């Protein structure tokens, strides 16, 4: 029987880095996401195809299901290092899911699997987290635990994958706290996202943060900003909180803000989202203010209303 699973992409509005240590973060599911379709076959092979937002196949591979074991079946197309790395990563996720649920893929029935992204892979909206959550749904396992044993991270992206509303996310040793919320913002027409065309390595950013670390007062400050920002009534209050947040994170990780580094003459507020230096930033301003970024060569600009689920 054909089954299809879907997970939302994510944007981390507040709490980057510090969410790893228990700070409360505001995450918003994106309008874009990834689907996973599962169709049984007569073979004992798990055949996998990953399709990008343009309809092009960017990964294709086969995995043997003989004798209850998962193994990559080498193909002539699997010679590139990127293809091999993708196959190995996917194999690890599937193996971990099977460890968590031994009945997953327990017989030698084959499967045709197709994943389909709604967004470009370099946007940083959660290619990995949406995949993890979809596989977890298929395997009937805990997505947060599956994340821990594969990519690692705070888990906020899994929460966004599973919800359709903005949420306050707090990581705890015993499991995450997730509080969905309704944003009281009536100024979203003044918010837009700009893609920096720089894919940021989250692992490098996390490693840098771990060297710096945040103290209890800083964790509390970011948590307070996260809670205050969802209740903002005016754009000026919102911008003030974003500015406080940028200054605090800049001090902790000892890096200049993205505005200081690239957009010092922009008249409004710009905030990094997720690992600093890549993917999307959140900016405030009018439609005409967006021309500032276009003149600098940043052509992927998405209004808040189009980005958010």
């Amino acid at each position: 029987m054909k089954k299809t699973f879907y997970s939302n992409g994510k944007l981390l509005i507040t709490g980057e880095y510090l969410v790893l240590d228990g700070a409360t973060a505001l995450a918003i599911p994106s309008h874009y996401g990834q689907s996973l379709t599962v169709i049984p076959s007569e073979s004992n092979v798990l055949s996998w195809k990953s399709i990008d937002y343009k309809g092009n196949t960017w990964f294709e591979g086969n995995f043997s299901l003989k004798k209850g074991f998962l193994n990559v079946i080498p193909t002539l197309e699997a010679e590139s290092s990127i293809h091999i790395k993708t196959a190995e990563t996917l194999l690890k996720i599937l193996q971990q899911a099977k460890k968590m649920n031994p009945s997953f893929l327990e017989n030698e029935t084959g499967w045709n699997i197709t994943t389909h992204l709604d967004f470009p892979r370099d946007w940083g909206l959660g290619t990995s987290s949406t995949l993890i959550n979809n596989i977890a749904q298929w395997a009937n396992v805990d997505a947060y635990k599956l994340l821990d044993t594969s990519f690692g991270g705070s888990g906020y992206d899994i929460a966004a994958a599973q919800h359709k509303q903005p949420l306050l996310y707090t990581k705890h040793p015993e499991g995450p706290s997730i509080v969905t919320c309704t944003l009281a913002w009536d100024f979203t027409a003044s918010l837009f996202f700009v893609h920096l065309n720089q894919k940021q390595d989250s692992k490098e950013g996390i490693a840098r943060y771990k060297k710096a670390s945040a103290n209890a007062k800083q964790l509390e400050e970011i948590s307070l900003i996260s809670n205050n920002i969802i209740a903002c009534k005016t754009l000026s209050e919102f911008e003030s909180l974003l500015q406080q947040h940028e200054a605090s994170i800049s001090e902790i990780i000892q890096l200049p803000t993205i505005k200081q580094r690239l957009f010092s003459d922009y008249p409004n507020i710009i905030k990094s989202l997720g690992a600093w230096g890549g993917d999307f930033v959140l900016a405030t301003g009018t439609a005409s203010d967006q021309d500032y970024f276009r003149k600098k060569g940043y052509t992927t600009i998405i209004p808040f209303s189009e980005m958010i689920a």
Side-chain angles (χ1 to χ4, degrees):
M1 180 184 296
K2 177 181 176 180
K3 294 182 179 179
T4 298
F5 306 94
Y6 186 84
S7 295
N8 303 306
K10 47 72 182 179
L11 287 163
L12 189 63
I13 305 300
T14 66
E16 64 268 22
Y17 300 116
L18 278 69
V19 67
L20 290 160
D21 290 329
T24 297
L26 172 60
I28 302 184
S30 71
H31 170 71
Y32 305 93
Q34 182 170 204
S35 65
L36 183 149
T37 300
V38 179
I39 302 176
S41 71
E42 297 299 322
S43 68
N44 55 8
V45 172
L46 191 155
S47 180
W48 193 285
K49 181 182 290 187
S50 297
I51 300 174
D52 67 16
Y53 76 109
K54 290 184 176 180
N56 300 318
T57 299
W58 65 270
F59 171 79
E60 195 165 7
N62 294 316
F63 302 84
S64 173
L65 296 171
K66 288 183 177 180
K67 298 179 182 179
F69 292 99
L70 267 165
N71 292 291
V72 177
I73 300 176
T75 64
L76 292 176
E77 292 79 14
E79 294 179 353
S80 74
S81 60
I82 294 176
H83 192 290
I84 293 171
K85 183 178 179 180
T86 301
E88 290 175 344
T89 299
L90 184 54
L91 178 63
K92 179 181 177 182
I93 297 169
L94 293 170
Q95 288 174 333
Q96 290 297 334
K98 185 167 177 58
K99 284 182 181 179
M100 294 168 64
N101 179 8
S103 66
F104 177 54
L105 303 177
E106 66 179 348
N107 53 44
E108 296 186 7
T109 299
W111 302 94
N112 291 322
I113 311 299
T114 304
T115 65
H116 198 146
L117 279 169
D118 295 343
F119 57 90
R121 291 164 56 208
D122 65 352
W123 275 13
L125 294 184
T127 304
S128 299
S129 58
T130 52
L131 174 66
I132 290 286
N133 194 61
N134 283 336
I135 291 177
Q137 292 180 80
W138 175 31
N140 195 25
V141 299
D142 187 315
Y144 295 98
K145 292 181 180 178
L146 186 58
L147 177 72
D148 283 340
T149 58
S150 52
F151 294 101
S154 69
Y156 85 87
D157 45 5
I158 296 297
Q162 296 178 353
H163 292 81
K164 296 184 180 298
Q165 291 178 267
L167 55 94
L168 290 173
Y169 180 90
T170 311
K171 181 183 178 182
H172 299 291
E174 65 275 13
S177 166
I178 301 166
V179 179
T180 58
C181 53
T182 300
L183 300 177
W185 306 344
D186 61 0
F187 47 80
T188 54
S190 299
L191 308 180
F192 55 92
F193 300 94
V194 182
H195 191 248
L196 299 182
N197 304 317
Q198 296 287 330
K199 186 70 185 106
Q200 189 67 16
D201 189 327
S202 296
K203 291 183 178 179
E204 288 183 9
I206 290 171
R208 183 181 183 90
Y209 165 68
K210 287 297 185 183
K211 289 181 181 178
S213 190
N215 58 44
K217 183 178 179 181
Q218 290 166 326
L219 293 172
E220 184 179 351
E221 178 186 3
I222 294 300
S223 294
L224 182 61
I225 291 175
S226 297
N227 279 279
N228 286 342
I229 207 166
I230 64 173
C232 280
K233 300 295 185 183
T234 65
L235 179 61
S236 60
E237 181 185 2
F238 180 80
E239 290 179 317
S240 177
L241 288 168
L242 290 188
Q243 197 163 19
Q244 291 175 39
H245 194 289
E246 285 286 274
S248 180
I249 300 297
S250 176
E251 179 182 355
I252 293 168
I253 64 175
Q254 292 296 293
L255 285 177
T257 66
I258 196 67
K259 182 173 180 178
Q260 291 170 332
R261 190 163 67 86
L262 295 178
F263 310 111
S264 59
D265 58 340
Y266 184 67
N268 304 311
I269 300 299
I270 303 173
K271 185 192 178 299
S272 292
L273 304 177
W276 279 29
D279 300 331
F280 281 97
V281 295
L282 171 63
T284 65
T286 63
S288 61
D289 286 326
Q290 296 176 17
D291 289 335
Y292 168 92
F293 297 96
R294 294 189 182 96
K295 290 176 182 177
K296 286 181 171 290
Y298 300 97
T299 56
T300 302
I301 301 173
I302 303 177
F304 186 93
S305 60
E306 293 181 18
M307 177 68 87
I308 300 308

